[in-house]
Each structure stands twice: as structure tokens, then as C-alpha cells.
Amino acid sequence: QLFDFDLDYLGDGDFAEFSLGSGGERMMTVRPGSYSLNELVPAGWALTGSACKGGESVRLDGGDDHAVVAVRYGDNVVCTFTNELLPTITVEKTANASGSFEFTLSTEGRSNTQPVATGGSYTWTVVPDVYNLVEEVPLGAYWSFTGVECEGIEEGELLDDGAAFWVGYGDEVTC
């Protein structure tokens, strides 16, 4: 995965744009002044940390996705951005006959319901948290919920109509 960065010299605009892979680094010689270093976080990833260090005049003053650094002659500044792959939760529907079923994925204060046809699937990209995945059995139909199996769960439990589980960065759960 490549991560894109934009380094701007404050007052003059763009200075450099570059991409780095995991563990990659880029060295640049810059003139004294203030710079804004921004990471454009790709879909499916989260920026979980950023830090800059080096030189007495370094000032870290930024938001979640950028750092503003003041540099003087002789400073050697190193900025580190840490990213984590967001977890995914996939539901795959199997049934004895064709049909469409609704699955609700919920966590405290939020929920999302998606239709999934027999033989189909749906994937949510989520943030780390505890989730409930529940199948809504169609009313008045001749369907009954007979069970659920989930892969990729380290902490969780099976419910009468679904599953409850914790997902962390990088987890891929399939039920």
C-alpha cells in the first residue's frame, strides 16, 4: 500500500508531493521556515498516530492528518505517521431456497442494515469496536434462523439470531 504526502512551505505553497510504502522514508533538504506535512489517508486505512522530533526549534502543531513544523538552520526533523488497516465484517447468506434477507450491523449508537440475497454477501469497513450482527428473518415467511458461524473472531459470542464480537485494526471477520 502506498501512502501519499504533501509538504507545503507555508507562505509559498507546494514544496513536494510524494508517496511512501510501509516503513518507507523520504529525506529532503529544506530552507528554514514553517512547513505543513499532510498525509492523504487512503480508503480502508486509519491514521492512528503522528509525531515529529528533532532540533530545538521543532514545533508540532497540527490535526489528525497533518503536522506543522518550524525548522531552523541545522535542524534534522523526523516525522512519523502510523496507519492501521481498518477491520472488515462480511456477511455471507446461505439458505435452502432463494430469497432476500436483511442483516443489521450495530454498535453503541449506530446501526446499518443491508439486504443480502441467498448466495450473496456484503462487507462493512468499520472502526475497532464491539459489534452485533443480526439477521432479520422475514415475517410471515416460512424461514427460520438455524444458526451462524463466524471466522476471524477472537472475542465474541453467538446469539439466537446472530453474533456479538470485538474487531480490531486489521481484523477480517466473515459470518
Side-chain angles (χ1 to χ4, degrees), residues 54-68:
E56 291 181 28
S57 63
V58 173
R59 173 181 107 250
L60 179 62
D61 177 28
D64 291 339
D65 62 349
H66 72 283
V68 177

Side-chain angles (χ1 to χ4, degrees), residues 49-84:
S50 62
C52 294
K53 62 181 181 177
E56 291 181 28
S57 63
V58 173
R59 173 181 107 250
L60 179 62
D61 177 28
D64 291 339
D65 62 349
H66 72 283
V68 177
V69 181
V71 181
R72 289 191 301 190
Y73 285 109
D75 282 346
N76 183 20
V77 178
V78 176
C79 292
T80 303
F81 289 76
T82 304
N83 300 87
E84 298 281 351

